[in-house]
Amino acid sequence: MDTSYPREERPPPKRGPPPAAPAPRDHLVWAIFNTLYMNFCCLGFVALAFAVKARDRKVSGDVEAARHFSSKARCYNALATAGSVVLPLLLGALIVTGVIHLSKLAQESVGFFTYQFSGSDDDDQ
């Protein structure tokens, strides 16, 4: 075994407290936008209440409660955003299909309700 070169000695890893988990997000800005935009069943306001609770718990140092309220705020924000996007699209689709159906119905009924006057009636002769 050749030991002519110097070996690199690594210092032992330092043991300390484990790295702290990042603080949970409170989703407050998202909740404010959802509250200001009119959404289905005031879900934005509920999300805002949970976001404020999450921020209060985070400031007071209760990370577990902050994580719980943050999760609820994210859920209500997602529901409010989905409702704000999906419901107008659904309403627009219903209006478009209704207009198409009514126009086809009107075109078919025009032929039914028109009376044709023609000179080639065999009953008059």
Side-chain angles (χ1 to χ4, degrees):
M1 183 158 114
D2 186 29
T3 59
S4 61
Y5 60 91
R7 294 182 184 241
E8 292 182 21
E9 294 291 329
R10 291 187 196 168
K14 295 180 181 178
R15 293 194 180 232
R25 297 179 60 187
D26 52 15
H27 307 288
L28 187 65
V29 175
W30 190 14
I32 289 172
F33 283 127
N34 276 332
T35 302
L36 293 177
Y37 185 71
M38 294 180 61
N39 53 36
F40 184 67
C41 289
C42 298
L43 290 174
F45 184 71
V46 175
L48 181 65
F50 280 113
V52 169
K53 284 182 180 184
R55 177 162 287 191
D56 288 344
R57 296 300 190 268
K58 184 169 70 171
V59 168
S60 69
D62 190 4
V63 177
E64 196 58 39
R67 205 170 269 123
H68 173 73
F69 287 127
S70 173
S71 173
K72 285 193 175 275
R74 184 182 61 233
C75 179
Y76 282 116
N77 275 323
L79 287 173
T81 302
S84 297
V85 171
V86 169
L87 288 178
L89 288 177
L90 183 64
L91 182 65
L94 287 174
I95 289 172
V96 167
T97 55
V99 166
I100 291 171
H101 178 71
L102 287 176
S103 68
K104 285 182 181 180
L105 185 66
Q107 287 175 356
E108 291 172 1
S109 65
V110 165
F112 181 73
F113 287 113
T114 56
Y115 182 75
Q116 295 180 359
F117 293 101
S118 64
S120 63
D121 238 358
D122 290 338
D123 294 336
D124 292 339
Q125 295 177 355

